[in-house]
Amino acid sequence: MSRKVSFEYTTAFAESLPKAYAEKYDPDVVVAHATVAAARADAPAKVGLFARAGNGLCVVAEDRPGLLALISASLVVCRMDVNAAEVFTRKGGHREAVDLFWVRKLDVAPGTRLVQADAERVEATLLRYLAGTDPRSEVDKRIAEQTAAAPPKAVNATVRFVGDEAGGLATLEVETTDRSGLLYSLASALFGQRVQIVESEVRTVEDKVLDRFRVLEFDGSVIVSSRRLEIQVAILNAIEPARRSAPPNA
């Protein structure tokens, strides 16, 4: 994926993303993301490398409900933990998601850099799932392997909706203890609630996670107050299934 993209293509790519994207990323990083988008063409998804630290994966895919869950499943199966993530949806006539992940490869020395073969492995796994393969058994197997020797951690969780002054997208905030496959569990729970993720930001500090999801209903409508409790309970169940009777934090 060494083909260079034009200045015009890169500019149009950046302008199709939220304003915060262009303000955050240096031009060379934008070019790396745009190169992945150009390489996707009509394919369901394309995965490429970025980030000077050697730990960045850019996933560009046809946008669809449940996409983040399938990408997260692919990372779990490919033995990668997510340290941070940002999810964007292109505006205008594009039905394209641009999802960025900073990951850590498991079962290797800390700080081991990603190589092209890692991106290709994630891409091949994601394409299988997009084509209809159910990821659950593979994910469950991998999570069981990763947690078998790890002592259980006490889990604290805060799940809340943050009001939007403009009355548009709702923001769901999740603060909890990190564990293997957590992003997959959260994204799957939102998909199960027929909620689409428009933007997302994931940050992990030591063993604590703060996830923010900007969400809408599948039909594009705003999530009303009467739906929020149901979604919060589903997220709590995804964090720790044993806490099924626990009320969400307001």
Side-chain angles (χ1 to χ4, degrees), residues 13-53:
F13 172 83
E15 290 177 347
S16 71
L17 289 160
K19 183 179 179 181
Y21 171 87
E23 294 174 343
K24 182 176 294 185
Y25 293 107
D26 293 336
D28 61 321
V29 178
V30 175
V31 168
H33 299 163
T35 300
V36 179
R40 181 179 87 85
D42 294 327
K46 190 69 181 176
V47 180
L49 303 176
F50 79 98
R52 299 178 185 91

Side-chain angles (χ1 to χ4, degrees), residues 81-141:
D81 264 355
V82 177
N83 292 327
E86 293 183 353
V87 171
F88 300 99
T89 303
R90 295 183 69 182
K91 300 174 291 185
H94 309 278
R95 285 187 50 83
E96 192 168 64
V98 179
D99 296 355
L100 311 175
F101 299 87
W102 291 261
V103 303
R104 178 176 64 89
K105 294 202 291 185
L106 303 176
D107 306 327
V108 297
T112 300
R113 298 173 67 90
L114 298 173
V115 296
Q116 184 60 31
D118 295 316
E120 292 171 359
R121 189 157 46 97
V122 173
E123 180 180 307
T125 305
L126 176 58
L127 289 174
R128 283 199 297 114
Y129 296 155
L130 289 171
T133 300
D134 191 330
R136 284 176 292 186
S137 62
E138 292 180 294
V139 172
D140 289 346
K141 178 182 178 181

Side-chain angles (χ1 to χ4, degrees), residues 175-247:
E175 295 182 57
T176 189
T177 306
D178 192 23
R179 66 166 173 81
S180 180
L182 178 62
L183 183 57
Y184 167 74
S185 297
L186 299 180
S188 296
L190 289 172
F191 178 66
Q193 288 295 310
R194 299 187 62 78
V195 170
Q196 62 170 306
I197 301 168
V198 179
E199 295 178 25
S200 180
E201 183 178 6
V202 174
R203 291 289 180 266
T204 304
V205 179
E206 296 180 348
D207 65 342
K208 300 297 183 185
V209 173
L210 173 59
D211 293 354
R212 292 188 177 93
F213 301 98
R214 298 269 282 171
V215 292
L216 291 169
E217 300 284 7
F218 269 8
D219 64 4
S221 61
V222 174
I223 295 174
V224 298
S225 298
S226 59
R227 277 271 285 145
R228 294 184 178 187
L229 179 62
E230 179 183 4
I231 294 168
Q232 287 172 282
V233 169
I235 290 295
L236 277 172
N237 290 343
I239 292 171
E240 188 181 10
R243 293 176 46 165
R244 295 193 185 279
S245 60

